[in-house]
Amino acid sequence: MVSTKDILSDTLRSPVLIIKHKDKLSPDYVPNTLPHREDKIRELGYIFKSILTGEGKDSERVVIVGRTGTGKTATVKSFGKSFEDIAEREFGVKIKYVHINCYRHRTLYLISQEIANALKLPIPMRGLSAQEVFKIIHEYLDRRNLHILVTLDEFSHFLNTTSTEEIYFLVRLYDEISVIIKRISYIFIVNDMHSIYKLDKSIRDHIVRRVIEFPPYTSNELYDILKARVDEAFNENSVDEEALRYIANTYGFDKGGSGNARIAIETLGLAGEIAEKEGSSIVLLDHAKRANSMINPEVQEMLDSLLYLDLHQLILLKALIRLLNRSKAEEVTMGNLENEYIELSHELGEEPRKHTQVYEYLRKLKVIGIVNTRQSGKGMRGRTTLVSLSLPLDKRLDDFITQQILVKLKSKI
């Protein structure tokens, strides 16, 4: 018997085969380059340029809106850090960037304390209201000839939990504080505009001055993001191209996915861990598929949906699995799949459905996320549909589908 200590020692001493910088796969990591968000950084630059040029005497505000995983936080953090540096180095303007997560800091007082902490401004823990703290902060900014750019991330949590009076004070600060130079500007980050649009117009108009929308990422955009992250986090030549393409296509918005880069990167990291545990020096397509099945919250829903497929949809899916197993390929032509389906139907004593109906079955399987399809490209004669399985090809899935087919056949007797 091997002791726990020996097992752990072997594990900890094992060489790093694939992932060399695990921290660069973390959701909190902000890379130096942000593929496909360059235009958003440029837009933010145009909005806040007036702080540097002295053209504007007003407090600038912008709303960033987009689904989870569309690069909102990473883009704004990257912009804020660079803006702070360039402002002083190239324009001689002192700006402090402050990023606050409203999930953790949901009240005006907590927000005021976070700003004070970022400025290293000692504020008594008790005895002062949030409004008084903001006045002290502004006096400090005036004395230091300093501006601050405050990002309120997950801003909906603040709007949904605090009082109307506190929201009013925050966004209409300069109605409450009389100053010559308005030194506090804001970036508000939300997943959707619902929590803002339900506000009173007098408050809403002070928030929604400019809106920058972050659309979900397409498969090609996700591929570029994943490729850049591979270059930073993985050893050279340790991730197979097919694995990257699979993850990008699985989550790409144009392919029916969520467009969520955060989950795509998380899937990539888990695929790397699976490969390392197996002693592989490269992340393969199968590792990516298994990682997706473990991390994708929709996978169980997809499996559950198999219970509601009719008999011939299940037979078509079983035919795909059988063909993939026999050919050792990752995808098969629609023609070969249809022939396999016809053969399997006869074996089960079923009359095969017509060509148009089989295509309709395939379409439904794609909609629920069980299969992927694409048009063939160079290297194949003519145009044909290529079909692949979205879930890892393993015995459990095969057995589950076989069991469901038997249940459906038995119910017909």
Side-chain angles (χ1 to χ4, degrees):
M1 298 290 287
V2 183
S3 70
T4 300
K5 188 174 181 180
D6 288 339
I7 294 170
L8 186 57
S9 179
D10 287 344
T11 301
L12 297 176
R13 290 176 180 276
S14 60
V16 176
L17 299 175
I18 295 177
I19 304 174
K20 61 180 179 180
H21 297 301
K22 198 169 183 178
D23 60 307
K24 294 186 177 179
L25 297 169
S26 164
D28 297 324
Y29 174 65
V30 179
N32 291 326
T33 59
L34 293 163
H36 305 289
R37 289 298 178 249
E38 298 88 349
D39 60 327
K40 307 304 179 187
I41 293 171
R42 195 171 290 112
E43 196 168 349
L44 285 166
Y46 281 123
I47 291 170
F48 293 103
K49 186 178 179 180
S50 61
I51 299 175
L52 307 182
T53 60
E55 294 170 2
K57 298 293 183 182
D58 204 359
S59 168
E60 299 291 351
R61 291 102 190 273
V62 61
V63 176
I64 303 289
V65 60
R67 297 181 181 188
T68 301
T70 53
K72 304 184 302 296
T73 298
T75 300
V76 171
K77 280 185 175 180
S78 183
F79 166 79
K81 286 170 59 181
S82 297
F83 187 68
E84 182 182 285
D85 178 59
I86 292 169
E88 185 158 14
R89 182 163 46 83
E90 298 185 17
F91 292 84
V93 177
K94 291 188 291 185
I95 292 177
K96 178 69 178 175
Y97 175 73
V98 182
H99 197 102
I100 299 173
N101 187 301
C102 293
Y103 182 81
R104 293 191 292 270
H105 305 94
R106 302 188 184 198
T107 67
L108 186 65
Y109 183 77
L110 289 175
I111 288 172
S112 71
Q113 288 291 328
E114 278 298 292
I115 295 172
N117 290 339
L119 295 171
K120 296 182 172 56
L121 179 60
I123 298 290
M125 292 299 292
R126 294 182 182 180
L128 293 177
S129 67
Q131 289 82 353
E132 289 171 324
V133 173
F134 264 97
K135 290 176 183 177
I136 292 171
I137 288 170
H138 216 284
E139 289 169 2
Y140 174 84
L141 297 176
D142 267 339
R143 290 198 307 272
R144 296 297 181 94
N145 192 24
L146 178 66
H147 293 262
I148 57 171
L149 175 54
V150 179
T151 289
L152 297 178
D153 206 344
E154 300 194 52
F155 186 52
S156 296
H157 288 291
F158 174 76
L159 297 179
N160 293 333
T161 57
T162 198
S163 67
T164 302
E165 290 74 21
E166 290 197 342
I167 298 170
Y168 187 95
F169 180 87
L170 179 75
V171 301
R172 302 195 64 168
L173 175 67
Y174 293 110
D175 289 351
E176 306 292 323
I177 302 176
S178 178
V179 295
I180 297 172
I181 300 175
K182 299 174 181 178
R183 298 183 178 274
I184 304 177
S185 294
Y186 293 106
I187 297 174
F188 306 107
I189 301 180
V190 294
N191 287 349
D192 59 63
M193 296 295 287
H194 176 71
S195 57
I196 293 176
Y197 284 148
K198 71 180 183 181
L199 295 171
D200 182 84
K201 189 176 184 300
S202 64
I203 299 176
R204 185 173 66 242
D205 288 351
H206 276 70
I207 297 174
V208 187
R209 293 188 179 178
R210 296 178 180 88
V211 177
I212 302 177
E213 294 189 22
F214 278 56
Y217 290 107
T218 66
S219 56
N220 284 337
E221 288 173 340
L222 283 178
Y223 176 83
D224 292 339
I225 291 167
L226 293 170
K227 190 74 172 66
R229 204 57 67 95
V230 165
D231 292 342
E232 287 197 77
F234 287 72
N235 283 323
E236 193 173 353
N237 299 321
S238 62
V239 181
D240 186 72
E241 177 79 7
E242 277 191 307
L244 277 187
R245 281 291 175 194
Y246 169 78
I247 298 171
N249 288 339
T250 297
Y251 294 103
F253 190 69
D254 56 320
K255 304 288 186 181
S258 62
N260 188 326
R262 188 179 300 175
I263 295 182
I265 293 168
E266 195 175 344
T267 303
L268 172 64
L270 182 56
E273 291 176 16
I274 292 170
E276 280 191 333
K277 287 174 186 176
E278 294 181 354
S280 174
S281 61
I282 186 168
V283 179
L284 300 171
L285 177 60
D286 182 61
H287 299 134
K289 284 189 174 184
R290 278 190 277 156
N292 179 58
S293 70
M294 294 168 66
I295 213 166
N296 186 349
E298 298 171 355
V299 167
Q300 188 56 52
E301 187 178 323
M302 281 191 258
L303 288 175
D304 291 343
S305 67
L306 296 179
L307 297 169
Y308 303 100
L309 295 179
D310 69 28
L311 175 59
H312 281 264
Q313 290 168 333
L314 288 165
I315 293 173
L316 181 62
L317 193 52
K318 174 72 176 180
L320 175 59
I321 291 173
R322 197 162 81 164
L323 194 55
L324 290 170
N325 277 326
R326 190 168 66 243
S327 65
K328 304 299 182 186
E330 296 298 336
E331 52 188 7
V332 298
T333 66
M334 184 59 198
N336 287 341
L337 175 58
E338 193 167 5
N339 290 337
E340 188 73 15
Y341 158 77
I342 292 169
E343 184 179 328
L344 182 56
S345 295
H346 288 314
E347 289 176 16
L348 295 169
E350 284 291 310
E351 182 66 26
R353 299 297 187 253
K354 301 296 183 184
H355 176 78
T356 52
Q357 186 61 58
V358 173
Y359 256 94
E360 182 58 24
Y361 291 155
L362 186 66
R363 189 195 67 78
K364 181 168 184 180
L365 292 174
K366 183 179 179 181
V367 167
I368 63 176
I370 301 294
V371 303
N372 290 320
T373 64
R374 71 179 183 89
Q375 291 300 306
S376 62
K378 293 180 180 179
M380 296 191 71
R381 294 181 61 184
R383 297 278 290 177
T384 186
T385 300
L386 298 174
V387 186
S388 60
L389 195 64
S390 298
L391 301 175
L393 186 60
D394 62 27
K395 191 174 184 299
R396 288 171 301 170
L397 176 64
D398 194 6
D399 289 346
F400 184 81
I401 293 168
T402 301
Q403 181 187 22
Q404 292 306 307
I405 289 173
L406 294 175
V407 168
K408 302 284 184 186
L409 287 172
K410 189 174 181 180
S411 66
K412 293 180 68 176
I413 299 173

